[in-house]
Amino acid sequence: MYEIVHKEALSPNIKLIEVKAPAVAKKTKPGQFVIIRIHEKGERFPITISNSNKDEGTIQLIFAEVGKSSILLGKLNEGESILNLAGPLGNATDTKDYGNILCVGGGVMVGALLFQMKVLKGSGNNITTIIGARSKDRLILIDEARKYSDDFYVATDDGSEGRQGIEFLKEILQQKRFDHVFTMGPTSMQKIVSEYTKSYNIPTTVNLFPIMVDGTGMCGACRVTVGNTTRFACVHGPDFDGHQVDFDELISRMRFYNPNEKIAMVLYEGV
Amino acid sequence: MTAIKSQVDMPRQEPNERIKNFDEVAIGYNAEMALEEASRCLNCPKPQCVKGCPVEVPIPEFIKLIKEGNYISAAKKIKEKNSLPAVCGRVCPQEDQCQKNCVLGIRGDPIAIGRLERFASDWERKYSKIEKQEIQFKGGRVAVIGSGPAGLTVAADLAKLGHKVTIFESLHAAGGVLMYGIPEFRLPKEIVQYEVEYVNSLGVEIKLDSTIGRLATIQELFDDGYDAIFIGSGAGLPNFLIIPGENLKGVYSANEFLIRTNLMKAYKFPEYDTPIRVGKRVGVIGAGNVAMDSARCALRLGAEQSNIIYRRGRDEMPARIEEVENAEEEGIHFEFLTNPIRFIGNSRGFLEKVECIHMKLSEPDSSGRRRPEPIPGSEFTIELDTAIIAIGQSPNPIIQQTTQGLETTRHGTIIVNEDSMETKIPGVFAGGDVVSGAATVISAMGAGKLAAKSMHQYILSKKGILQ
Ligand SMILES: Cc1cc2nc3c(=O)[nH]c(=O)nc-3n(C[C@H](O)[C@H](O)[C@H](O)COP(=O)(O)OP(=O)(O)OC[C@H]3O[C@@H](n4cnc5c(N)ncnc54)[C@H](O)[C@@H]3O)c2cc1C
Ligand SMILES: Cc1cc2nc3c(=O)[nH]c(=O)nc-3n(C[C@H](O)[C@H](O)[C@H](O)COP(=O)(O)OP(=O)(O)OC[C@H]3O[C@@H](n4cnc5c(N)ncnc54)[C@H](O)[C@@H]3O)c2cc1C
Ligand code: SF4
Ligand code: SF4
Ligand code: FES
């Protein structure tokens, strides 16, 4: 059992929790994730670790309440526990000194990006950051992200805060020469970022989240096509070269269980 | 000369009933049947049967106890050598192991050793309780990675010898393939958990959610004070065909399909949260135990037609005969000498059909195996909305990736000294599917037994108890 020692709401449907898991906290590096299961009949689902505190023995998870499992997780209060938590899974991000880097984060994954940024800053990188969300009320952790950035931009899909849309990324790519780009966020956003950076030939690390079951290379549910070969995101990733990823296939595969998830949700809300 | 009585049949659920549920297909002997079958055993003074059992179950002795009506003692007798008798009694390929050697088999039916083993252990489970064993701790500390049959055997044997054992299991349940792969209707999960509890009762600690290589490396386990380490991480990495269309929606690896169904109980969705999608027409590629299990699960999950697609012929199928018969009775359809060449999807990325080619078998090669060869121009398509790829598994990769100095073959299996099961790293032993490649429960247990013996020696000499 893994106790929730702290909980807060970052936006109407995004929660942050700190979970007691000393052994996991000790080993965690940015880019890695945990797989959790909340109750005896629950499913296994992954959440990226967005911070770890080795002294307190805790890890931080930030998640959006989008379906039954994440809503159940959001209902757990401080003092309550998660039944199973395995991690840290996946390979850590390569956080060396690249020089000038651009970090593009969207939605709920901004927390995980921030974790990368902190370590990348420590390695000596000069960081330009773009944080985006659908609208103003969904933007999270802006002030913290600004702290670790040398240049900082905000964007929303509807223009309710900062710049509108992702188009202006092109301007930024034109203004400054970047040695590397990191992006974490909705898959459709990571796809667009990778397309833009490809035309400027800037190496881009994406962090993928296909459907997963075990997270240790045993099911193949998480397979993605990278450079025409099949890779398992949980053991070969989740970081990949964004210019090599077949995003359309990934996006299609991620929707496979939507009808079932809708049933689960309808029945759950019915209770 | 008196005729040899034939083997007592084991009752089973009727095929048209059982395809609607996940309850156990084989119902097992009752006491009367067990007594009758046991009475056929000759109690050979030099029993050949035992030679066929990799963990040396004292077969005549336990059968004698059954004859005498001492069923619980019979179970205890088996457990002196085999910590998982209810599992082995159900899934051992007995026809190739103990029963193959039984002298009665020369002129008639061999003793149904597996069924008797199952009977005794089921009786014990029903009529006695697991008692916490008091074993004096006088040895070393051992870390076992993986809680499949290999890991459980090493843990139980070393605990009995007085070592303090911790098992690290990456999943949220212990048992390895017994939990996540073999379906409920062949091996009820409650029984696996009972056997795990028995290993637990010997003083073995089981840490779930612990992926070694990520949570801690082998070196870090030594740093934590473990004297010896056993790697029993299995062969769980699914192989794919590497043909076009394999990532279409509706194409599963057998492992994903079986993990969802068995470990996560997707057959009880939405009572359980894990979903599974099975179409009307299912094609399973391959013809081993894993393929049979997948095809039979698909049927129980509502498929109208469940097909086995196999590139060789009927006689070459690697699955256990009993399971092939069960599958046929249940209406599984077989396409032999057929090899898929590409999966074809619709505009929304869902699988619609598979294009196959007919095969013929060549003359036997030097190894005696007849290789399948495509017949040019024989391409045809089969309509499918679900495909399950069951063409084998490779070793789980994480430990190999994260441990320096561990030597592996190009297939990813760990290289050991076969007399001791020790790897190239002193104090690190390995066995089961991660060494042999995908094999059987009993061979994994046999490897575990051997490893436990040499780990015991290793620890004693390390501690200076033995020179
Ligand atoms: C490696 C990895 C890291 C992840 N990290 C985070 C994280 O840090 N924070 C977070 O909130 N979520 C993260 N996710 C996604 C998270 O696992 C899913 O949101 C969760 O499984 C949803 O379960 P549910 O039952 O609540 O919703 P479901 O009912 O399963 O889904 C509801 C909706 O969410 C969408 N959805 C489901 N799974 C995913 C997914 N994997 N990615 C994107 N959309 C999905 C579905 O298409 C559906 O529309 C991660 C996923 C992976 C694979
Ligand atoms: C569907 C199916 C049906 C089968 N049917 C039969 C049958 O009828 N009869 C028969 O004899 N055999 C059968 N087999 C084969 C048999 O199950 C295996 O040979 C046997 O389970 C191998 O045992 P093992 O202990 O080596 O590994 P496994 O049973 O694979 O156990 C390995 C365990 O290690 C864990 N692990 C892996 N990596 C790590 C890590 N890094 N850290 C911690 N834990 C880790 C895994 O999660 C797993 O629990 C079947 C196999 C399958 C898949
Ligand atoms: S463990 Fe398997 S091989 Fe050994 S006696 Fe029992 S059924 Fe036979
Ligand atoms: S060989 Fe057959 S008859 Fe002889 S002891 Fe073994 S099981 Fe009994
Ligand atoms: S999640 Fe199962 S192989 Fe990656």
Side-chain angles (χ1 to χ4, degrees):
Chain A
M1 299 287 271
Y2 304 83
E3 192 192 336
I4 297 175
V5 293
H6 174 74
K7 175 183 177 184
E8 63 187 274
L10 297 182
S11 86
N13 83 332
I14 298 182
K15 301 242 155 76
L16 176 156
I17 54 175
E18 267 159 31
V19 186
K20 193 105 192 155
V24 182
K26 203 167 114 191
K27 289 287 284 190
T28 294
K29 297 213 171 84
Q32 293 185 295
F33 60 92
V34 290
I35 288 204
I36 63 179
R37 194 174 73 120
I38 301 169
H39 62 105
E40 282 299 342
K41 296 180 178 175
E43 64 184 335
R44 295 169 65 92
F45 65 102
I47 303 282
T48 308
I49 306 170
S50 51
N51 212 350
S52 82
N53 185 328
K54 293 179 178 49
D55 301 330
E56 303 278 322
T58 57
I59 56 165
Q60 186 190 73
L61 305 177
I62 297 176
F63 59 95
E65 293 159 306
V66 291
K68 184 177 174 186
S69 298
S70 50
I71 291 176
L72 280 177
L73 180 61
K75 283 206 168 17
L76 294 179
N77 291 313
E78 284 175 13
E80 291 181 308
S81 292
I82 295 169
L83 182 60
N84 297 104
L85 182 149
L89 298 172
N91 299 302
T93 301
D94 188 355
T95 46
K96 65 182 181 201
D97 185 4
Y98 296 84
N100 274 335
I101 60 170
L102 174 67
C103 295
V104 186
V108 66
M109 300 307 285
V110 169
L113 181 79
L114 191 55
F115 189 21
Q116 273 184 345
M117 284 167 55
K118 284 178 191 165
V119 180
L120 283 162
K121 188 81 218 163
S123 316
N125 288 284
N126 179 293
I127 304 182
T128 300
T129 310
I130 302 175
I131 297 296
R134 247 186 288 164
S135 58
K136 184 177 174 178
D137 61 329
R138 287 167 193 263
L139 282 167
I140 59 168
L141 301 168
I142 304 236
D143 294 336
E144 272 233 56
R146 187 176 280 127
K147 252 193 346 218
Y148 292 94
S149 310
D150 298 283
D151 278 310
F152 186 76
Y153 303 87
V154 167
T156 48
D157 290 350
D158 63 1
S160 52
E161 177 87 35
R163 306 290 297 259
Q164 183 169 6
I166 192 77
E167 288 277 313
F168 83 103
L169 173 60
K170 282 188 189 156
E171 287 171 33
I172 294 177
L173 290 172
Q174 249 153 18
Q175 283 163 16
K176 201 165 168 181
R177 176 67 217 181
F178 294 103
D179 300 300
H180 203 95
V181 175
F182 287 90
T183 175
M184 275 196 173
T187 310
S188 54
M189 185 201 89
Q190 299 197 57
K191 177 187 168 185
I192 295 173
V193 171
S194 300
E195 280 167 6
Y196 287 180
T197 60
K198 192 169 187 175
S199 56
Y200 290 88
N201 223 347
I202 309 170
T204 299
T205 302
V206 295
N207 185 271
L208 304 182
F209 34 95
I211 293 171
M212 290 189 177
V213 185
D214 59 295
T216 63
M218 278 164 56
C219 72
C222 65
R223 60 194 192 273
V224 286
T225 302
V226 183
N228 291 323
T229 51
T230 295
R231 310 293 275 165
F232 289 1
C234 66
V235 285
H236 302 126
D239 280 357
F240 288 103
D241 173 355
H243 298 163
Q244 302 284 326
V245 172
D246 183 342
F247 279 103
D248 294 331
E249 178 188 273
L250 171 63
I251 291 169
S252 166
R253 284 179 59 79
M254 284 171 70
R255 297 198 182 117
F256 185 50
Y257 288 103
N258 278 8
N260 307 60
E261 302 296 3
K262 284 214 180 79
I263 296 172
M265 201 52 218
V266 169
L267 288 171
Y268 170 64
E269 285 179 328
V271 183
Chain B
M1 189 164 194
T2 52
I4 302 172
K5 277 210 260 171
S6 52
Q7 217 176 57
V8 179
D9 270 339
M10 178 159 61
R12 289 180 301 166
Q13 273 198 76
E14 286 303 322
N16 54 355
E17 266 313 303
R18 70 187 192 230
I19 59 168
K20 294 180 214 142
N21 64 54
F22 271 81
D23 297 341
E24 208 175 358
V25 167
I27 295 163
Y29 283 164
N30 59 26
E32 199 184 330
M33 295 167 181
L35 280 173
E36 190 185 334
E37 181 63 19
S39 73
R40 299 200 308 125
C41 172
L42 308 173
N43 269 65
C44 308
K46 282 190 187 148
Q48 296 304 305
C49 51
V50 178
K51 290 185 189 157
C53 173
V55 298
E56 300 159 355
V57 166
I59 297 168
E61 287 91 338
F62 96 77
I63 295 183
K64 184 160 175 282
L65 287 163
I66 292 183
K67 277 190 207 169
E68 293 164 0
N70 288 326
Y71 308 138
I72 292 179
S73 309
K76 294 220 158 85
K77 184 65 129 183
I78 303 169
K79 278 191 175 169
E80 284 174 12
K81 294 285 183 182
N82 180 344
S83 299
L84 313 171
V87 170
C88 290
R90 285 173 168 80
V91 303
C92 263
Q94 293 104 3
E95 63 272 17
D96 294 325
Q97 309 267 234
C98 49
Q99 287 173 206
K100 188 177 173 182
N101 288 6
C102 171
V103 290
L104 290 180
I106 301 169
R107 293 183 47 237
D109 291 344
I111 296 288
I113 301 168
R115 292 175 185 175
L116 291 173
E117 186 168 330
R118 167 184 170 155
F119 166 77
S121 52
D122 283 358
W123 188 280
E124 186 203 26
R125 189 172 62 256
K126 222 158 143 192
Y127 297 108
S128 76
K129 269 212 175 69
I130 293 180
E131 283 160 27
K132 194 120 194 111
Q133 321 247 332
E134 284 308 322
I135 294 169
Q136 220 196 330
F137 171 62
K138 54 181 185 325
R141 285 181 66 211
V142 176
V144 170
I145 303 164
S147 63
L152 289 172
T153 301
V154 170
D157 282 17
L158 285 175
K160 285 177 187 165
L161 290 166
H163 301 285
K164 188 102 203 80
V165 184
T166 306
I167 298 181
F168 295 90
E169 167 56 51
S170 106
L171 293 171
H172 60 265
V177 171
L178 310 178
M179 278 309 279
Y180 79 73
I182 305 181
E184 180 78 17
F185 56 81
R186 280 215 291 136
L187 180 63
K189 301 307 144 219
E190 203 186 318
I191 292 174
V192 179
Q193 285 314 303
Y194 177 89
E195 310 244 67
V196 169
E197 212 180 300
Y198 166 71
V199 174
N200 211 216
S201 77
L202 300 169
V204 172
E205 183 192 12
I206 303 180
K207 287 198 176 172
L208 302 172
D209 301 329
S210 304
T211 311
I212 299 306
R214 300 277 193 223
L215 187 68
T217 59
I218 300 263
Q219 187 52 49
E220 285 163 340
L221 291 177
F222 279 128
D223 295 344
D224 277 351
Y226 288 100
D227 297 301
I229 296 171
F230 177 79
I231 306 172
S233 50
L237 179 80
N239 297 342
F240 284 93
L241 293 156
I242 324 277
I243 59 173
E246 214 163 12
N247 293 345
L248 286 165
K249 287 175 283 187
V251 182
Y252 287 94
S253 76
N255 261 6
E256 179 186 358
F257 191 78
L258 293 170
I259 291 176
R260 286 181 182 272
T261 310
N262 301 310
L263 180 69
M264 306 311 295
K265 299 210 186 307
Y267 64 91
K268 293 188 179 169
F269 180 85
E271 182 198 341
Y272 281 72
D273 290 339
T274 304
I276 193 153
R277 280 182 75 173
V278 180
K280 290 195 171 71
R281 294 177 55 95
V282 176
V284 179
I285 324 296
N289 284 323
V290 182
M292 296 305 141
D293 284 345
S294 303
R296 296 173 71 196
C297 279
L299 212 55
R300 285 161 174 79
L301 287 161
E304 281 167 17
Q305 203 187 52
S306 183
N307 307 283
I308 293 275
I309 300 173
Y310 183 45
R311 61 194 182 128
R312 294 190 165 92
R314 171 177 293 274
D315 296 339
E316 284 80 25
M317 285 199 287
R320 284 182 65 194
I321 300 160
E322 187 186 329
E323 301 309 337
V324 174
E325 284 169 6
N326 278 329
E328 283 191 309
E329 272 181 21
E330 289 169 12
I332 305 289
H333 179 81
F334 291 80
E335 295 274 355
F336 293 114
L337 295 169
T338 301
N339 205 24
I341 45 183
R342 70 180 167 121
F343 294 106
I344 302 166
N346 65 17
S347 59
R348 292 167 48 239
F350 283 92
L351 175 68
E352 261 184 354
K353 51 195 169 200
V354 57
E355 183 175 329
C356 298
I357 190 160
H358 282 304
M359 309 290 279
K360 63 171 193 286
L361 291 180
S362 65
E363 290 306 311
D365 59 18
S366 55
S367 68
R369 203 155 157 86
R370 303 178 64 192
R371 278 193 322 113
E373 285 167 5
I375 303 174
S378 68
E379 292 86 352
F380 68 107
T381 60
I382 305 175
E383 283 187 22
L384 289 182
D385 31 32
T386 305
I388 302 168
I389 314 231
I391 55 163
Q393 290 102 242
S394 305
N396 288 14
I398 294 179
I399 292 176
Q400 291 86 322
Q401 275 174 11
T402 55
T403 312
Q404 270 181 9
L406 199 63
E407 275 190 28
T408 54
T409 64
R410 70 190 166 87
H411 304 292
T413 51
I414 297 176
I415 297 172
V416 296
N417 170 344
E418 283 178 21
D419 298 325
S420 66
M421 305 311 281
E422 192 167 16
T423 67
K424 295 282 154 132
I425 306 175
V428 179
F429 299 74
D433 280 3
V434 74
V435 169
S436 60
T440 62
V441 171
I442 196 65
S443 59
M445 292 177 68
K449 259 209 141 41
L450 181 57
K453 272 183 202 152
S454 36
M455 289 171 83
H456 179 59
Q457 294 305 321
Y458 173 86
I459 295 167
L460 292 190
S461 58
K462 182 176 169 184
K463 299 227 164 223
I465 303 171
L466 191 108
Q467 289 312 318

